[in-house]
Amino acid sequence: ETGVTQSPTHLIKTRGQQVTLRCSSQSGHNTVSWYQQALGQGPQFIFQYYREEENGRGNFPPRFSGLQFPNYSSELNVNALELDDSALYLCASSRQGMNTEAFFGQGTRLTVV
Amino acid sequence: AQSVTQLGSHVSVSEGALVLLRCNYSSSVPPYLFWYVQYPNQGLQLLLKYTSAATLVKGINGFEAEFKKSETSFHLTKPSAHMSDAAEYFCAVSVDTGANSKLTFGKGITLSVRP
């Protein structure tokens, strides 16, 4: 059983640029959620994807967008990067159903300069 | 809306001592509660979860937590700390019965273990 994998592990971008982060969900999981973890803070929920559609969103602006593919992998896109977007971005996969739990990837460290 | 409060940002214990990390939650509906651990430059690993079955939940690495509805608490304990327990610990709440991945996290507690 493969775990949740994210790529790249580290990334440096310039303010105003766009970035795409990728996540492969764990085998058997059909739901992917994305989180932003600023330094010294707890993760904050960005959005969730299920059946290739957004299924809930946190308090993040529209320049944060995502995709889910038929194989349940997912992308997080951030446009017009700002310095405050510097953070660890975590992907979590799970499956729909009672008594489930989310499994996290190791994250992508994004630095905006 | 739900929320989580983790009291104190840093806890330091001696190796072999009791570990107690506090978590209080707020939720308008019966919650699902989780404790995750994060080692430096790593993702989150699930320690244990409460999903309305037994109120005393046992997790990995000797950790356990007790759900107390009257106190809206879900404190994490371990009888004897080990050096390898040094990490960041996050309490989280979910009211998402779909996939339990719309989590609201606390700010985290850094656990240090002294030799």
Side-chain angles (χ1 to χ4, degrees):
Chain A
E1 181 178 274
T2 57
V4 181
T5 58
Q6 293 186 241
S7 62
T9 55
H10 294 84
L11 200 54
I12 299 175
K13 288 287 189 178
T14 303
R15 188 172 48 183
Q17 285 188 315
Q18 178 265 344
V19 69
T20 297
L21 310 181
R22 295 177 174 82
C23 172
S24 294
S25 59
Q26 184 164 312
S27 176
H29 288 182
N30 56 15
T31 301
V32 173
S33 299
W34 287 92
Y35 290 81
Q36 180 194 66
Q37 185 180 15
L39 200 61
Q41 299 295 317
Q44 290 198 2
F45 175 71
I46 302 174
F47 43 55
Q48 180 187 89
Y49 276 83
Y50 172 57
R51 291 184 174 175
E52 302 178 49
E53 294 196 356
E54 190 177 289
N55 183 38
R57 188 180 184 94
N59 189 24
F60 281 82
R63 59 189 186 83
F64 285 78
S65 63
L67 286 172
Q68 186 181 33
F69 301 98
N71 66 354
Y72 306 122
S73 66
S74 177
E75 287 183 354
L76 164 65
N77 298 290
V78 187
N79 293 322
L81 283 167
E82 300 176 0
L83 296 179
D84 285 349
D85 295 334
S86 295
L88 181 68
Y89 288 84
L90 295 164
C91 167
S93 80
S94 56
R95 61 176 184 269
Q96 294 287 325
M98 298 295 289
N99 201 27
T100 61
E101 61 202 50
F103 291 84
F104 284 80
Q106 82 285 3
T108 294
R109 173 73 64 186
L110 173 65
T111 302
V112 182
V113 297
Chain B
Q2 62 275 12
S3 66
V4 168
T5 301
Q6 293 186 248
L7 296 177
S9 59
H10 187 221
V11 170
S12 180
V13 300
S14 297
E15 191 173 19
L18 171 71
V19 175
L20 171 60
L21 305 180
R22 299 179 186 274
C23 172
N24 290 88
Y25 70 91
S26 172
S27 175
S28 57
V29 298
Y32 292 78
L33 293 161
F34 305 83
W35 276 98
Y36 283 88
V37 61
Q38 185 176 38
Y39 297 98
N41 300 313
Q42 297 289 316
L44 301 173
Q45 180 183 12
L46 181 68
L47 281 176
L48 48 79
K49 64 180 181 182
Y50 167 76
T51 55
S52 75
T55 56
L56 182 62
V57 181
K58 294 187 183 299
I60 62 171
N61 301 339
F63 285 94
E64 63 181 38
E66 186 172 8
F67 173 71
K68 292 186 177 180
K69 184 178 178 180
S70 61
E71 299 177 7
T72 61
S73 69
F74 191 56
H75 301 332
L76 182 71
T77 60
K78 182 174 180 178
S80 177
H82 191 273
M83 297 296 291
S84 61
D85 294 327
E88 188 86 8
Y89 291 81
F90 294 94
C91 181
V93 61
S94 168
V95 295
D96 163 31
T97 57
N100 278 330
S101 61
K102 297 177 189 173
L103 298 164
T104 299
F105 285 87
K107 291 187 175 181
I109 299 174
T110 302
L111 175 65
S112 300
V113 182
R114 304 185 300 271

